């Protein structure tokens, strides 16, 4: 009899826990710079020659297939320890074209995820673009467009635009903008100008719907405290100072704590950021709210020995194929709706 009541008691605990869990749903949004996901074919009008079989990197089918396998492994692991379905939306940088995305989704680790693609061919001279993968069961896409980066003066080098996805997540209006701002080879004002343009896009989306929840993500080629992010885009460090239509940047304190997404000359940077509007900080029941953020770091993503021990393990470096992953680490935002 005692055994019966013990089983009944334990069952009731499990059922009550299940009932509580059914009252809240977790979601995730991620970003990953894939570092030169090129196929082995030349794209007309693009300077992709180093990623051809006869090019400097001797980029053949074996290396391409290995790159696809490595990238799909990482993408399939993002957020699944907290959200079994994985991210509802993943922003990507440094993809050559739609073909490489289609090949990526055919990989065994991703083929059953049901992701769909948002991609437009951009003006970048090398041919690298931004893209989204999204789960249509979680994120219901309404529209998407690529907004070009407006050059400041004639003769400036064309660069990646701003890819916008507009739709519904957890029954709420959610828009996302994925970016890859001008590299460190350009001066800071080029990225500040990008920040100003993205801020204007945010304001435009809020004019259409003041309640829209907006995520701005990407490889910004700047850290959270740099002028392009902190002033031009206006992403703030402390959540208590963020209005509902303003932007919060949780990665500022992450970098201050010694964590980053890429390493240069022994120092961590955090270029891979996901910032979002203050209306996601609401704790009201029934609202989609921010819970936590994470740099996805695993041992297999890191260089474990040699001169660059502790750096992200790249696909290749110094003319040598390392069969690694990327010089960047992915970032993840977690959300909850009660």
């Amino acid at each position: 009899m005692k055994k019966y009541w013990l089983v009944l008691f334990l069952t009731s605990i499990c059922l009550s826990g299940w009932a509580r869990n059914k009252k809240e749903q977790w979601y995730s949004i991620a970003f990953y710079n894939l570092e030169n996901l090129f196929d082995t074919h030349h794209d007309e009008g693009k300077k992709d020659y180093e990623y051809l079989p006869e090019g400097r990197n001797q980029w053949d089918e074996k290396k391409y297939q290995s790159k696809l396998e490595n990238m799909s492994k990482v993408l399939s692991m993002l957020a699944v320890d907290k959200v079994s379905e994985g991210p509802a939306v993943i922003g990507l940088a440094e993809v050559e074209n739609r073909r490489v995305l289609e090949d990526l989704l055919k990989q065994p680790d991703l083929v059953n995820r049901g992701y769909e693609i948002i991609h437009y061919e951009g003006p970048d001279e090398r041919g690298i673009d931004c893209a989204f993968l999204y789960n249509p069961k979680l994120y219901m896409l309404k529209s998407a467009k690529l907004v070009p980066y407006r050059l400041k003066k004639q003769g400036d080098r064309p660069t990646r635009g701003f890819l916008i996805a507009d739709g519904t997540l957890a029954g709420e209006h959610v828009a996302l903008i994925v970016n890859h701002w001008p590299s460190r080879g350009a001066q800071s004002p080029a990225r500040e100008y990008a920040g100003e343009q993205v801020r204007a896009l945010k304001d435009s989306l809020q004019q259409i719907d003041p309640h829209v929840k907006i995520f701005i993500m990407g490889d910004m080629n700047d850290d959270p405290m740099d002028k392009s992010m902190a002033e031009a885009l206006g992403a703030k460090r402390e959540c208590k100072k963020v209005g509902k239509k303003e932007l919060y940047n949780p990665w500022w304190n992450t970098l201050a704590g010694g964590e980053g997404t890429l390493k240069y000359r022994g120092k961590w940077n955090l270029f891979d950021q996901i910032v979002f509007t203050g209306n996601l900080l609401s704790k009201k029941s029934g609202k989609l709210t921010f819970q936590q953020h994470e740099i996805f770091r695993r041992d297999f993503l890191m260089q474990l020995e040699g001169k660059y021990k502790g750096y992200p393990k790249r696909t290749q470096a110094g003319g040598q194929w390392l069969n690694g992953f990327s010089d960047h680490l992915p970032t993840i935002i977690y959300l909850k709706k009660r």
Side-chain angles (χ1 to χ4, degrees):
M1 192 62 163
K2 288 182 178 178
K3 184 177 181 181
Y4 167 79
W5 285 111
L6 177 62
V7 171
L8 184 63
F9 174 70
L10 292 174
T11 302
S12 68
I13 291 175
C14 292
L15 288 174
S16 64
W18 178 84
R20 284 196 301 272
N21 289 336
K22 290 293 285 184
K23 291 179 182 177
E24 61 183 41
Q25 179 69 43
W26 282 68
Y27 302 89
S28 64
I29 291 171
F31 172 77
Y32 193 22
N33 181 328
L34 302 185
E35 191 195 16
N36 296 320
L37 179 56
F38 281 83
D39 60 25
T40 61
H41 307 285
H42 174 57
D43 283 5
E44 189 66 32
K46 301 297 183 181
K47 297 178 180 178
D48 58 0
Y49 302 107
E50 62 182 319
Y51 283 94
L52 297 175
E54 66 275 13
R56 184 178 66 185
N57 296 320
Q58 298 180 323
W59 193 248
D60 56 19
E61 192 64 23
K62 175 187 174 182
K63 292 179 180 179
Y64 175 52
Q65 292 300 325
S66 183
K67 177 74 171 180
L68 290 171
E69 181 181 344
N70 289 348
M71 294 296 91
S72 66
K73 176 182 178 180
V74 179
L75 293 172
S76 71
M77 294 176 67
L78 297 180
V80 294
D81 55 339
K82 296 182 177 68
V83 185
S84 60
E85 303 93 336
V89 183
I90 307 174
L92 302 174
E94 295 199 17
V95 298
E96 183 183 18
N97 49 42
R98 187 179 183 91
R99 185 189 310 118
V100 300
L101 293 167
E102 292 171 348
D103 289 346
L104 183 64
L105 293 183
K106 291 174 185 174
Q107 297 299 303
D109 286 331
L110 292 176
V111 69
N112 295 320
R113 285 294 184 90
Y115 281 122
E116 296 188 8
I117 296 167
I118 305 172
H119 172 265
Y120 296 92
E121 194 64 40
D124 182 83
E125 292 181 343
R126 291 181 59 231
I128 54 173
D129 303 320
C130 292
F132 283 114
L133 302 179
Y134 70 98
N135 183 341
K137 294 180 180 179
L138 299 174
Y139 186 69
M140 279 58 78
L141 181 69
K142 293 181 179 178
S143 64
K145 63 180 177 180
L146 178 66
V147 178
Y149 176 102
R150 295 194 312 274
L151 301 177
K152 203 147 194 175
K153 62 181 185 296
Q154 191 173 6
D156 283 352
R157 179 182 296 179
T159 191
R160 285 79 54 176
F162 315 111
L163 182 58
I164 303 175
D166 191 55
T168 304
L169 177 66
E172 299 187 32
H173 185 191
V174 171
L176 307 102
I177 308 173
V178 66
N179 307 255
H180 188 183
W181 288 359
S183 73
R184 283 290 175 115
Q187 296 298 312
S188 177
R191 292 181 294 280
E192 293 165 28
Y193 193 43
E196 292 171 3
Q197 292 180 58
V198 176
R199 187 171 188 167
L201 292 175
K202 174 191 76 75
D203 293 345
S204 296
L205 290 167
Q206 290 172 329
Q207 286 178 0
I208 297 169
D209 178 6
H211 304 292
V212 62
K213 295 182 172 179
I214 301 173
F215 294 87
I216 298 170
M217 67 183 75
D219 175 0
M220 308 305 194
N221 273 304
D222 266 336
D223 287 321
M225 69 286 297
D226 288 330
K227 193 173 181 180
S228 63
M229 291 296 299
E231 297 182 25
L233 183 61
K236 296 184 177 182
R237 180 175 186 173
E238 302 301 335
C239 59
K240 294 179 180 179
K241 298 180 180 179
V242 179
K244 289 184 178 181
K245 291 186 177 183
E246 295 178 318
L247 292 170
Y248 173 52
N249 191 343
W251 309 98
W252 195 317
N253 289 326
T254 302
L255 181 59
E259 295 183 71
T261 56
L262 70 157
K263 211 168 189 179
Y264 182 67
R265 294 182 177 177
K267 177 187 175 184
W268 282 107
N269 292 102
L270 212 164
F271 293 173
D272 307 86
Q273 301 165 56
I274 308 173
V275 305
F276 49 87
T277 45
N279 53 4
L280 280 147
L281 297 171
S282 170
K283 299 301 179 184
K284 289 184 179 179
S285 179
K287 297 294 185 182
L288 189 66
T289 58
F290 165 71
Q291 295 298 307
Q292 60 191 86
H293 63 294
E294 173 191 3
I295 296 173
F296 184 83
R297 176 171 176 161
R298 300 293 184 271
D299 284 347
F300 69 86
L301 290 173
M302 310 303 293
Q303 194 77 35
L304 299 179
E305 57 186 8
K307 179 181 178 181
Y308 294 104
K309 181 179 179 180
Y311 283 63
K313 187 177 182 181
R314 306 183 63 171
T315 301
Q316 55 194 36
Q320 180 182 1
W321 185 52
L322 304 177
N323 195 21
F325 297 85
S326 172
D327 56 344
H328 294 248
L329 297 174
T331 47
I332 308 170
I333 291 285
Y334 293 97
L335 310 162
K336 182 170 70 173
K337 187 164 186 175
R338 291 186 179 88

